[in-house]
Amino acid sequence: MLAPFAFLLALVAQPASAQVSPHLLPLEQRLAALATENPGEYGIGALDLETGEMVTINGDRPFPMASTMKIAVAAAYLAEVDAGRRSLDETIGSSTALSLMESMLIHSNNRSTDILIATLGGPAAVDGWLRAHRLRGIRVDRNIARLLADRRDLHDIRDSSTPVAMLHLLRLIDSGDALSDRSRALLLDMMRRCATGRNRIRGLLPRGATVEHKTGTLNGYTGDVGFLTRPDGQRIAVVFFARGGDNRPAVISTAARAIYDSFGGEGQGLAAPLGGRVTQASTWQPVRRDPPARQPSAAPATPCTLRGSVFEGLC
């Protein structure tokens, strides 16, 4: 059981204004306990895309997006394709727009990202797409090269998002209101083939779960956002932002499994204990799964590259 003092800390981590469905209250308490009993600072969000039920921890607190912002870049470019102003087959430099987008989303290639951002008209164009869809609490200010060149500050408001704002972006993409069916399907397919961060959202999920996601990584920061789809078709948008601490992927994978089980009416599943520090050496071991089928792509195998160099950040 959670000690009384720790339980009070867990309550502090919960948003006072959130209205959570009664059957999700145990999940909210579990996530709050994870956020307070593990080192670091966490922003967590989960949204049932059919019912609108939502659970958040620090939902209105800004966190760096790192490479999770590449979802917005892809959506903004695909919207241009839908409007007939651009084509996925057009050649940009020595690559097609489609191969650049695959490189960006599947392998988190930073150079491909900056090429697409420049083609759109710069970071302001991506931010303008967010504003046009009335998304608040999320912003794109710099390209990847500028972000990496600037002094690192994990509390910098630039290129940040709150968990709630990222949930709204994911809901907008999934709803089909912002993209055509073809563009939406293409974006989700590339997110499903994401090759980075296998120890985050995917880490503890069962074989029947489908994951479409995009990771983000900086020194001292770990993120992962996307969609979970259960075998019965239930879809859940999820957001995990974490800065500081030393076991961020373990907290993310544990929280993702708790969300997956609780939204499906299966209680807290592997995350049954209410609180406690989690590590990758947890007694809860990931279900072994066959690796996802690799599809042909022009994307390079090396992730997170920029101008020929490999960075620890922005994966």
Side-chain angles (χ1 to χ4, degrees), residues 166-180:
M166 182 59 74
L167 286 177
H168 288 165
L169 171 60
L170 293 171
R171 179 172 60 183
L172 176 68
I173 290 170
D174 190 74
S175 68
D177 292 338
L179 298 175
S180 67

Side-chain angles (χ1 to χ4, degrees), residues 104-183:
M104 174 178 70
L105 291 175
I106 299 173
H107 299 284
S108 207
N109 188 287
N110 295 331
R111 182 174 179 274
S112 297
T113 305
D114 280 355
I115 292 173
L116 288 172
I117 290 175
T119 302
L120 286 168
V126 181
D127 193 69
W129 183 86
L130 297 172
R131 302 285 81 77
H133 290 283
R134 301 183 178 181
L135 293 172
R136 300 291 181 265
I138 182 173
R139 53 188 288 175
V140 174
D141 300 274
R142 296 166 289 182
N143 66 9
I144 302 300
R146 182 73 264 164
L147 190 156
L148 291 173
D150 287 347
R151 181 179 178 180
R152 191 64 46 79
D153 179 2
L154 296 181
H155 291 84
D156 192 336
I157 194 66
R158 292 176 296 173
D159 303 291
S160 68
S161 177
T162 67
V164 168
M166 182 59 74
L167 286 177
H168 288 165
L169 171 60
L170 293 171
R171 179 172 60 183
L172 176 68
I173 290 170
D174 190 74
S175 68
D177 292 338
L179 298 175
S180 67
D181 290 345
R182 181 175 181 271
S183 290

Side-chain angles (χ1 to χ4, degrees), residues 13 37 51 63 66 76 92 156 178 188 197 211 241 243 250-251 313:
E37 295 192 11
T51 68
F63 288 83
I92 306 173
D156 192 336
L188 294 179
V211 182
F241 295 143
R243 57 187 163 208
V251 175

Side-chain angles (χ1 to χ4, degrees), residues 10-296:
L11 291 179
V12 170
Q14 300 180 54
S17 61
Q19 297 296 321
V20 179
S21 298
H23 74 98
L24 292 177
L25 285 174
L27 170 64
E28 185 181 52
Q29 293 175 353
R30 169 60 177 160
L31 296 177
L34 282 171
T36 55
E37 295 192 11
N38 287 277
E41 183 180 11
Y42 295 89
I44 301 172
L47 171 68
D48 186 313
L49 291 166
E50 180 178 355
T51 68
E53 294 178 311
M54 181 167 63
V55 174
T56 64
I57 302 298
N58 295 323
D60 294 325
R61 187 173 301 178
F63 288 83
M65 283 192 288
S67 280
T68 65
M69 61 83 70
K70 295 172 182 177
I71 296 175
V73 176
Y77 194 93
L78 288 169
E80 290 287 289
V81 173
D82 290 341
R85 290 186 287 268
R86 300 199 177 275
S87 167
L88 290 172
D89 297 325
E90 70 178 288
T91 299
I92 306 173
S94 59
S95 303
T96 66
L98 177 60
S99 66
L100 288 170
M101 196 173 300
E102 287 187 318
S103 175
M104 174 178 70
L105 291 175
I106 299 173
H107 299 284
S108 207
N109 188 287
N110 295 331
R111 182 174 179 274
S112 297
T113 305
D114 280 355
I115 292 173
L116 288 172
I117 290 175
T119 302
L120 286 168
V126 181
D127 193 69
W129 183 86
L130 297 172
R131 302 285 81 77
H133 290 283
R134 301 183 178 181
L135 293 172
R136 300 291 181 265
I138 182 173
R139 53 188 288 175
V140 174
D141 300 274
R142 296 166 289 182
N143 66 9
I144 302 300
R146 182 73 264 164
L147 190 156
L148 291 173
D150 287 347
R151 181 179 178 180
R152 191 64 46 79
D153 179 2
L154 296 181
H155 291 84
D156 192 336
I157 194 66
R158 292 176 296 173
D159 303 291
S160 68
S161 177
T162 67
V164 168
M166 182 59 74
L167 286 177
H168 288 165
L169 171 60
L170 293 171
R171 179 172 60 183
L172 176 68
I173 290 170
D174 190 74
S175 68
D177 292 338
L179 298 175
S180 67
D181 290 345
R182 181 175 181 271
S183 290
R184 172 185 176 274
L186 178 64
L187 176 52
L188 294 179
D189 175 67
M190 288 185 283
M191 292 174 66
R192 185 161 49 247
R193 291 185 280 143
C194 178
T196 57
R198 296 182 186 277
N199 63 342
R200 302 180 196 180
I201 288 177
R202 294 182 182 274
L204 290 171
L205 294 182
R207 182 183 295 270
T210 298
V211 182
E212 298 142 336
H213 70 123
K214 182 69 197 77
T215 57
T217 308
L218 293 165
N219 291 332
Y221 168 88
T222 303
D224 204 357
V225 310
F227 305 96
L228 307 179
T229 305
R230 294 174 51 84
D232 61 2
Q234 182 186 28
R235 287 178 59 74
I236 308 160
V238 292
V239 174
F240 303 97
F241 295 143
R243 57 187 163 208
D246 58 4
N247 61 338
R248 298 182 299 273
V251 175
I252 289 173
S253 60
T254 302
R257 181 60 193 260
I259 289 168
Y260 180 86
D261 288 348
S262 294
F263 271 80
E266 299 168 11
Q268 297 180 59
L270 295 180
L274 183 58
R277 179 181 168 89
V278 296
T279 68
Q280 291 293 54
S282 167
T283 55
W284 317 306
Q285 294 299 321
V287 176
R288 292 188 178 275
R289 297 177 296 152
D290 296 328
R294 298 296 296 272
Q295 300 187 22

